[in-house]
């Protein structure tokens, strides 16, 4: 792996819990270094004590091996956008539209927040499709 590829990946150390032919399960423990990581806000590892990551692919690892799980940095930014940035833009847009239509402020505020319900339901319904964009690999 070149140094350029390494800087474009988010890395987490973990221990192999299960190793199959085309599938590896890795247990990730959060480290205090997560607080200083530039991708902390978009990473599902931050703030959690332990996470189980399913990695698809054939790897020569055994249960108990220490490995590094990699995810492309662009996938981290996609998670950040879907989870935080787009909902903020959506709420602000709806709020501005409702206020400009002279809707009372309380109603406009509640309406802007209420728009998040169908958004997150849509994300949940599309979770299998979205999860295909978040692929993990292993560096032994």
């Amino acid at each position: 792996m070149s140094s350029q590829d390494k800087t474009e990946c988010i890395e987490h150390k973990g221990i192999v819990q299960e190793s199959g032919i085309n599938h590896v399960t890795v247990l990730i423990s959060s480290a205090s270094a997560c607080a200083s990581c530039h991708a902390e806000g978009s990473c599902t590892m931050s703030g959690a004590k332990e996470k189980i990551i399913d990695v698809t692919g054939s790897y020569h690892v055994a249960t108990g091996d220490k490995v590094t799980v990699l995810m492309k940095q662009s996938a981290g930014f996609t998670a950040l956008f879907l989870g935080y940035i787009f909902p903020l833009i959506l709420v602000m847009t709806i709020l501005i539209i409702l206020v400009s239509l002279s809707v009372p402020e309380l109603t406009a505020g509640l309406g802007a927040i209420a728009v998040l319900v169908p958004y997150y339901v849509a994300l949940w319904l599309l979770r299998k499709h979205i999860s295909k964009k978040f692929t993990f690999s292993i560096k032994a």
Side-chain angles (χ1 to χ4, degrees):
M1 177 179 281
S2 70
S3 63
Q4 184 181 16
D5 292 338
K6 187 175 181 180
T7 60
E8 294 177 2
C9 288
I10 299 169
E11 299 182 3
H12 288 280
K13 295 187 186 304
I15 299 172
V16 175
Q17 297 294 301
E18 182 182 338
S19 180
I21 296 171
N22 291 318
H23 180 77
V24 177
T25 303
V26 180
L27 178 67
I28 304 288
S29 295
S30 284
S32 59
C34 288
S36 64
C37 178
H38 67 281
E40 178 191 17
S42 63
C43 182
T44 59
M45 305 303 158
S46 90
K49 294 182 182 182
E50 291 185 339
K51 267 302 203 192
I52 295 179
I53 304 295
D54 294 320
V55 181
T56 308
S58 179
Y59 297 95
H60 301 299
V61 293
T63 302
D65 286 353
K66 292 182 180 181
V67 296
T68 301
V69 178
L70 304 170
M71 180 177 76
K72 288 184 180 178
Q73 191 174 33
S74 61
F77 291 132
T78 301
L80 179 68
F81 180 78
L82 290 174
Y84 299 102
I85 296 172
F86 186 75
L88 176 65
I89 293 169
L90 187 63
V91 166
M92 294 305 293
T93 302
I94 296 299
L95 184 62
I96 290 168
I97 289 171
L98 291 176
V99 168
S100 67
L101 293 174
S102 299
V103 173
E105 287 181 6
L106 178 63
T107 307
L110 292 173
I113 292 171
V115 78
L116 292 176
V117 173
Y119 174 73
Y120 283 113
V121 167
L123 278 183
W124 183 76
L125 291 173
L126 296 170
R127 68 189 179 278
K128 289 182 182 177
H129 176 71
I130 293 170
S131 69
K132 292 177 185 174
K133 296 179 188 268
F134 301 100
T135 57
F136 296 94
S137 60
I138 291 179
K139 177 174 77 172

